[in-house]
Amino acid sequence: DADVTQTPRNRITKTGKRIMLECSQTKGHDRMYWYRQDPGLGLRLIYYSFDVKDINKGEISDGYSVSRQAQAKFSLSLESAIPNQTALYFCATSDFTGGAEDTQYFGPGTRLTVL
Amino acid sequence: LAKTTQPISMDSYEGQEVNITCSHNNIATNDYITWYQQFPSQGPRFIIQGYKTKVTNEVASLFIPADRKSSTLSLPRVSLSDTAVYYCLTISSGSARQLTFGSGTQLTVLP
């Protein structure tokens, strides 16, 4: 979805390096999420944010940190990258309406390789 | 948090109806069931969401039995372009939403 952009799209780095993945959205949604996807494991939630002042850990937050700089921006950092963090990373947004409708809109993904 | 279980893969032929079932035995009372579609090198895309009985939209139907321990995504008359990975997940309606996708079902549509 072009309304959710991720940079970079591909990144190769070395063990121990600090890496930041950025996500921007123009949908005006309050909620933003970071997932990682590994072959055969589906998507796993790393962190999520319901508004600028709210940050929550997901299923696999160890080794990651996030920053919600503005409603439209949510960054994911790997403070000291390790090879098992090699994966496809997705950012998503949603707009909570209080009911059943909480459709998530995903970015195109960032392929990260840690050597 | 409900855990979902899906078949790893399914094959079908063009024009057939495809039904993909997801098991979510410990779904919470207020959880909704949502299905996403993912093509290679793209992020998942929302297909359909439901709470109980049957929901239908322009691309799919979702059948949820009374006990809500499973759900079935039905794709009518599939085409080659429906080849993708399909994920089911449950989502709570509370403010502290937890979301975990299952491992997905690879659907391959054959000519």
Side-chain angles (χ1 to χ4, degrees), chain A residues 9 31 33 35 37 40-43 45 48 50 57-59 90 96 99-104 106-108, chain B residues 32 36 38 41-46 49 87 89 91-104:
Chain A
R9 293 294 312 278
R31 300 187 168 198
Y33 309 79
Y35 293 88
Q37 184 173 41
L41 294 179
L43 291 96
L45 184 63
Y48 62 102
F50 285 171
K57 292 183 178 181
E59 180 186 359
F90 286 102
F96 179 60
E101 301 301 319
D102 193 23
T103 301
Q104 293 192 54
F106 285 80
Chain B
Y32 287 83
Y36 283 79
Q38 186 180 26
S41 301
Q42 295 183 22
R45 184 176 66 178
F46 174 88
Q49 182 181 70
Y87 293 96
L89 73 152
I91 173 173
S92 72
S93 60
S95 59
R97 297 194 175 201
Q98 291 286 348
L99 300 158
T100 304
F101 283 76
S103 55

Side-chain angles (χ1 to χ4, degrees), chain A:
Chain A
D1 191 314
D3 297 323
V4 183
T5 57
Q6 295 182 230
T7 56
R9 293 294 312 278
N10 290 282
R11 181 71 183 269
I12 300 174
T13 190
K14 295 182 179 180
T15 297
K17 294 292 186 181
R18 184 178 188 275
I19 296 297
M20 178 179 287
L21 309 183
E22 298 186 348
C23 177
S24 295
Q25 53 113 347
T26 59
K27 301 189 76 68
H29 289 168
D30 287 328
R31 300 187 168 198
M32 298 187 74
Y33 309 79
W34 275 105
Y35 293 88
R36 65 175 280 174
Q37 184 173 41
D38 300 275
L41 294 179
L43 291 96
R44 292 181 290 169
L45 184 63
I46 305 172
Y47 272 95
Y48 62 102
S49 169
F50 285 171
D51 63 43
V52 175
K53 298 180 181 179
D54 177 78
I55 300 291
N56 303 280
K57 292 183 178 181
E59 180 186 359
I60 52 164
S61 60
D62 287 348
Y64 301 94
S65 63
V66 291
S67 173
R68 185 79 185 268
Q69 302 94 325
Q71 185 201 41
K73 296 184 182 297
F74 193 35
S75 300
L76 176 71
S77 294
L78 288 68
E79 297 300 326
S80 179
I82 56 177
N84 74 2
Q85 290 178 313
T86 293
L88 188 54
Y89 290 84
F90 286 102
C91 172
T93 74
S94 71
D95 189 17
F96 179 60
T97 62
E101 301 301 319
D102 193 23
T103 301
Q104 293 192 54
Y105 296 86
F106 285 80
T110 294
R111 186 168 297 281
L112 176 66
T113 303
V114 183
L115 302 176

